[in-house]
Amino acid sequence: MEAGALPEPVLVTQAGSLKLLADQLDGETVVAVDTESNSLYAYREQVCLIQFSTRETDYLVDPLALEDLSPLAGVFANPKIEKVFHAAEYDVICLRRDFDFEFANLFDTMLAARILGRQEVGLGAVLQAEFNVHLEKRYQRANWGQRPLPGYLLDYARLDTHYLIALRERLGADLRQCKLWPLAQEDFERLRVLQAAESNGRAPDCWRIRGSYDLSPQQAAVLQEVCRYRERVASAQNRPLFKVISDQSLLAIAGQGPQTLHELGRLPGMSHGQVRRHGEALLQAVRRGRQAEPIYPPRSPRPDEAFVLRVEALRRWRKEAALQMGVGSDVVLPRDLLFALAEGNPRGMGELAEVMAEAPWRLEHFGEQILWALGRR
């Protein structure tokens, strides 16, 4: 279905309109939600649009035009209002990060489709299968921070939530029929408490570049200096790192150690414009890196051999269980829970229940099998 065949969405850019919307949503029992961010166009990613759909109306909220989105906090935290997302993890993390929202009563249509054993779980594929609706996804990588947003992007954005409530009803009915509703609720609750990953203690920027571990310690020191330069420029210009200088160009600079602008310009990915804008500063960074102390890659402590064996045993078991259920392995046992079990090494149902406190359905249905896999028969 084309967006033109639908009623116009309501664009919310004023504080008064936002308050009216919050009051409207507060009277609903189910609301569809999605977000659009500008990660490909900014150093500091932010939510640039929030879409809501009720059974009657589609709303587009512009956070860049509104100073305060707190009127929506009660909607997200209200346990009497079910919030329907598709692939909610990213949205929940971004909304909590940018606006400090807390969440209650979520339904994720992608998770529901995975739990039901669907092979194609992208929103476009699911809507095509359920409603014969074609969803145009060419604008996924659009710059959602531009203002004003063109009409075609507004039409695109509203379609991401327009069908979600109807989709939730179908998938919810299927989950109940297959007796998988409690498992879905377990995973929706796990979604509710997601937090953005902390950056403290993260490995230095240079070690996140593919190929950095192949450099000598002195070359790694050079890489760290050119990475720091790129970080400063990206932050000052509010541009993504890769749009300043690519990872592979920085790796080549560290490996080759150019001493002149001519040498720098011959390296992969270094355009004339980049040499003109950044050349002298990059050469200075190379000189600083050569004079700095060599640096060595961070080393993670080698895991205990018994821990590794438990991980492999649990992986083998969940793969077999997933084949029997016709679902992905992580539906049976999510990765974080698998590692928690391998680390905790529970010795009986009591200890197992402690590790799996947030996974009661899995404890009930898989507890004995997990103990068996861990050798606790």
Side-chain angles (χ1 to χ4, degrees):
M1 180 181 292
E2 296 295 330
L6 301 172
E8 284 292 315
V10 177
L11 183 59
V12 179
T13 61
Q14 301 291 327
S17 300
L18 182 67
K19 178 63 167 61
L20 289 174
L21 172 60
D23 291 342
Q24 170 67 32
L25 297 179
D26 201 47
E28 301 288 334
T29 58
V30 58
V31 175
V33 191
D34 189 35
T35 68
E36 306 294 345
S37 297
N38 62 342
S39 60
L40 297 177
Y41 297 88
Y43 176 72
R44 295 179 183 86
E45 174 192 24
Q46 64 184 126
V47 175
C48 299
L49 197 69
I50 306 175
Q51 304 100 286
F52 294 97
S53 288
T54 66
R55 298 183 192 276
E56 295 81 27
T57 310
D58 301 319
Y59 300 90
L60 304 175
V61 175
D62 185 355
L64 303 188
L66 294 157
E67 292 185 4
D68 180 15
L69 266 64
S70 62
L72 296 174
V75 175
F76 286 111
N78 190 339
K80 296 181 179 179
I81 306 172
E82 184 177 63
K83 277 68 67 176
V84 182
F85 293 82
H86 188 86
E89 179 175 344
Y90 181 70
D91 299 304
V92 167
I93 287 174
C94 290
L95 288 169
R96 178 173 276 127
R97 177 199 66 208
D98 287 4
F99 311 113
D100 203 28
F101 291 148
E102 294 299 328
F103 298 88
N105 195 2
L106 303 182
F107 188 106
D108 186 331
T109 52
M110 188 184 79
L111 265 180
R114 296 194 72 238
I115 290 169
L116 288 165
R118 306 287 176 85
Q119 297 301 306
E120 299 288 338
V121 297
L123 182 58
V126 176
L127 291 181
Q128 185 77 44
E130 292 290 338
F131 304 114
N132 197 29
V133 168
H134 174 68
L135 204 61
E136 179 59 69
K137 302 303 288 183
R138 77 173 91 171
Y139 302 124
Q140 277 183 315
R141 299 168 71 86
N143 182 3
W144 292 97
Q146 63 180 299
R147 290 297 182 273
L149 280 171
Y152 63 86
L153 284 185
L154 297 177
D155 289 338
Y156 164 87
R158 64 96 61 92
L159 289 176
D160 276 351
T161 55
H162 181 79
Y163 299 99
L164 282 189
I165 293 176
L167 178 60
R168 175 259 178 267
E169 290 174 348
R170 289 199 181 185
L171 296 178
D174 290 346
L175 287 168
R176 292 182 186 278
Q177 183 176 0
C178 297
K179 296 182 172 54
L180 292 172
W181 179 258
L183 174 58
Q185 288 295 299
E186 183 169 296
D187 282 350
F188 299 160
E189 175 62 17
R190 284 162 55 83
L191 272 176
R192 185 185 68 79
V193 297
L194 279 173
Q195 299 280 353
E198 293 290 338
S199 59
N200 293 340
R202 189 172 61 184
D205 180 70
C206 65
W207 300 116
R208 300 202 303 276
I209 292 179
R210 181 177 296 180
S212 59
Y213 283 73
D214 297 328
L215 297 174
S216 72
Q218 199 64 59
Q219 289 171 332
V222 173
L223 180 60
Q224 181 159 271
E225 287 297 329
V226 293
C227 283
R228 286 172 174 166
Y229 167 74
R230 180 178 69 169
E231 195 91 23
R232 289 194 298 271
V233 173
S235 177
Q237 297 179 356
N238 194 24
R239 300 182 69 199
L241 294 174
F242 74 91
K243 288 194 174 181
V244 177
I245 307 169
S246 74
D247 284 356
Q248 291 312 302
S249 291
L250 293 190
L251 190 69
I253 292 170
Q256 298 296 320
Q259 300 182 49
T260 67
L261 293 178
H262 177 70
E263 291 176 356
L264 182 65
R266 296 177 61 184
L267 296 179
M270 290 302 299
S271 68
H272 292 300
Q274 285 178 315
V275 173
R276 184 178 66 253
R277 290 188 297 273
H278 308 296
E280 291 295 346
L282 286 171
L283 293 178
Q284 291 176 20
V286 169
R287 289 193 286 271
R288 288 196 302 273
R290 283 178 162 173
Q291 296 167 6
E293 291 291 324
I295 65 171
Y296 298 85
R299 297 189 181 278
S300 301
R302 184 169 181 171
D304 177 76
E305 184 176 351
F307 168 81
V308 173
L309 291 174
R310 290 193 293 270
V311 168
E312 291 306 314
L314 288 169
R315 282 177 171 159
R316 287 194 299 271
W317 165 76
R318 77 169 183 175
K319 182 177 181 180
E320 295 172 1
L323 286 173
Q324 293 176 10
M325 289 181 65
V327 298
S329 293
D330 59 326
V331 171
V332 172
L333 195 64
R335 184 175 184 272
D336 64 312
L337 190 52
L338 184 150
F339 280 96
L341 287 164
E343 180 69 29
N345 191 22
R347 290 168 170 75
M349 287 301 295
E351 292 182 9
L352 184 65
E354 291 183 15
V355 179
M356 301 184 69
E358 297 179 359
W361 188 92
R362 290 178 171 90
L363 174 65
E364 178 184 352
H365 288 78
F366 300 137
E368 292 292 346
Q369 297 176 47
I370 289 171
L371 289 175
W372 181 87
L374 290 170
R376 306 294 182 191
R377 297 186 291 275

